[in-house]
Amino acid sequence: MARDLLGPRLVQREAMLARPDLDRVASAAEQDLAQRRVYSPDSMLASELEDLIMVDWEQHIAPTPGTYAVELTATAAAQAQARLTEAVREARAQGASWDAIGKAAGMTRQSAHERWSKLKN
């Protein structure tokens, strides 16, 4: 029943208690957070245990914010490339030369031709 009420958070807590770097002990008297020995009579954690787990979690995800920005930028770049390719296709369909397309794209006509000449209309 508690699992249904708490959902993924309960599952995450249970997984954290099973971590090899945390030792679960049988009684509150044995708990020593400095030694990473934790006591929890059930899957509900005391706030200091949640704080300990959150420190671990924050260290675990620390590289993610930087890579998330890279992922977003790469996605945006791929979308921009797709729009550029479509714009070149439309320009060629309207009779634009490779020289004009190259200038508009900031490259030589030869580079533009090599990059997009195989596009199908």
Side-chain angles (χ1 to χ4, degrees):
M1 182 162 151
R3 180 180 296 276
D4 295 334
L5 294 175
L6 296 175
R9 264 193 99 170
L10 178 62
V11 172
Q12 182 182 17
R13 288 177 179 163
E14 289 173 348
M16 291 302 288
L17 284 173
R19 290 179 53 158
D21 59 336
L22 294 177
D23 292 324
R24 191 169 188 178
V25 294
S27 71
E30 296 175 88
Q31 179 168 290
D32 182 354
L33 297 182
Q35 296 296 316
R36 305 183 65 74
R37 296 168 48 90
V38 299
Y39 171 73
S40 180
D42 55 30
S43 58
M44 301 305 293
L45 297 177
S47 63
E48 67 269 11
L49 294 179
E50 286 190 3
D51 292 344
L52 179 66
I53 290 169
M54 286 308 296
V55 167
D56 283 353
W57 178 249
E58 288 168 359
Q59 289 173 350
H60 172 72
I61 66 167
T64 302
T67 58
Y68 182 65
V70 171
E71 182 181 348
L72 287 178
T73 304
T75 299
Q79 291 169 345
Q81 288 295 332
R83 288 191 306 272
L84 177 59
T85 297
E86 185 55 34
V88 168
R89 182 180 285 116
E90 289 177 21
R92 288 296 292 162
Q94 294 173 14
S97 69
W98 288 117
D99 186 51
I101 291 171
K103 285 178 183 172
M107 62 179 69
T108 66
R109 66 177 174 76
Q110 182 177 355
S111 293
H113 182 267
E114 287 174 5
R115 182 169 177 179
W116 292 300
S117 66
K118 294 181 176 127
L119 291 178
K120 299 189 185 209
N121 291 333

